[in-house]
Amino acid sequence: TQLLEQSPQFLSIQEGENLTVYCNSSSVFSSLQWYRQEPGEGPVLLVTVVTGGEVKKLKRLTFQFGDARKDSSLHITAAQPGDTGLYLCAGDNTDKLIFGTGTRLQVFP
Amino acid sequence: GAGVSQSPRYKVTKRGQDVALRCDPISGHVSLYWYRQALGQGPEFLTYFNYEAQQDKSGLPNDRFSAERPEGSISTLTIQRTEQRDSAMYRCASSLYSWDRDRYLGETQYFGPGTRLLVL
């Protein structure tokens, strides 16, 4: 069974702080995605990384795909209350997406 | 534009009853996925279709669960003889594969609002 473990599971921080969320697996994925889910809504795609070592930036969010394509990280700079939500990584094994365990982020003003 | 829709949004049923959950994907999307999601956790894969063909049903918990997509568009997830442990949010997603010439860019899944099932 392919598993994607995310850490930390929960994160509560003050506005303006930086944070990093990790997504780790023992399996290799053809691509890896990050989603954000807000209460009562479905997950919404933030980014897809495809190449090992790839780094993508989306405003204050920086996503990195590990060289071996087994892990990824999401770094948020100067977090804002609007960043609050459930962050999910998902690995594409070309058959289906395997979702991570999730990181619930709460940013307080 | 129309996104993925699911119905009903909420379903309360008594233990032992059958329920049918419907998913209407984005028009033209080839793949359709069913997930179950517990609060605060990632979606748990149940099954998926390419067009009308069920490609993988390895995530269905047991034989009380079944899914179909007879015309390659709308899909129905059926749970027979419901049990309290079936209570959960059931989500559907349809997807689009992205390519840049010969380079595979990944699959983007678009999720529906979900059906919250409560089995009493």
Side-chain angles (χ1 to χ4, degrees):
Chain A
T1 303
Q2 295 172 306
L3 286 175
L4 274 168
E5 296 285 342
Q6 287 184 235
S7 62
Q9 188 176 359
F10 300 99
L11 193 53
S12 293
I13 60 173
Q14 291 294 127
E15 182 176 4
E17 292 185 27
N18 302 331
L19 67 114
T20 302
V21 178
Y22 298 93
C23 173
N24 294 293
S25 175
S26 58
S27 302
V28 175
F29 294 101
S30 59
S31 67
L32 195 135
Q33 301 179 335
W34 285 92
Y35 290 78
R36 184 170 76 197
Q37 185 173 14
E38 299 189 13
E41 305 290 329
V44 175
L45 181 68
L46 294 174
V47 78
T48 301
V49 284
V50 180
T51 307
E54 182 176 3
V55 176
K56 278 192 175 178
K57 293 194 173 184
L58 188 67
K59 297 183 181 178
R60 295 176 293 101
L61 278 60
T62 301
F63 305 85
Q64 183 163 9
F65 201 11
D67 291 341
R69 290 185 289 131
K70 293 182 179 180
D71 55 84
S72 181
S73 64
L74 157 60
H75 182 78
I76 301 179
T77 304
Q80 299 177 359
D83 296 328
T84 293
L86 178 67
Y87 288 81
L88 297 160
C89 63
D92 183 350
N93 68 357
T94 71
D95 178 32
K96 56 182 178 281
L97 281 185
I98 308 296
F99 278 86
T101 48
T103 295
R104 182 164 293 283
L105 171 65
Q106 178 79 51
V107 182
F108 293 98
Chain B
V4 178
S5 61
Q6 290 185 246
S7 61
R9 293 292 307 276
Y10 303 92
K11 178 69 178 178
V12 181
T13 190
K14 290 184 178 179
R15 188 178 53 187
Q17 297 292 307
D18 298 350
V19 294
L21 311 181
R22 173 183 164 131
C23 173
D24 205 335
I26 294 173
S27 178
H29 280 194
V30 168
S31 298
L32 184 150
Y33 294 77
W34 282 101
Y35 296 92
R36 184 166 64 179
Q37 187 174 21
L39 195 62
Q41 297 183 18
E44 173 195 4
F45 170 82
L46 296 177
T47 184
Y48 90 98
F49 296 82
N50 281 342
Y51 300 104
E52 73 283 356
Q54 192 170 20
Q55 299 292 323
D56 186 335
K57 55 182 181 178
S58 62
L60 296 176
N62 50 61
D63 60 8
R64 294 186 297 105
F65 287 73
S66 62
E68 61 174 11
R69 193 187 184 197
E71 297 179 2
S73 179
I74 294 167
S75 177
T76 303
L77 176 70
T78 301
I79 309 174
Q80 295 179 309
R81 306 179 302 281
T82 52
E83 300 177 5
Q84 288 182 326
R85 60 179 171 155
D86 299 334
S87 297
M89 173 69 83
Y90 290 84
R91 291 198 188 275
C92 163
S94 67
S95 72
L96 200 59
Y97 293 89
S98 298
W99 296 81
D100 177 14
R101 299 182 184 177
D102 294 334
R103 184 166 175 254
Y104 176 62
L105 298 179
E107 178 186 8
T108 301
Q109 295 203 359
Y110 297 85
F111 283 82
T115 295
R116 183 165 292 285
L117 174 66
L118 177 61
V119 182
L120 301 176

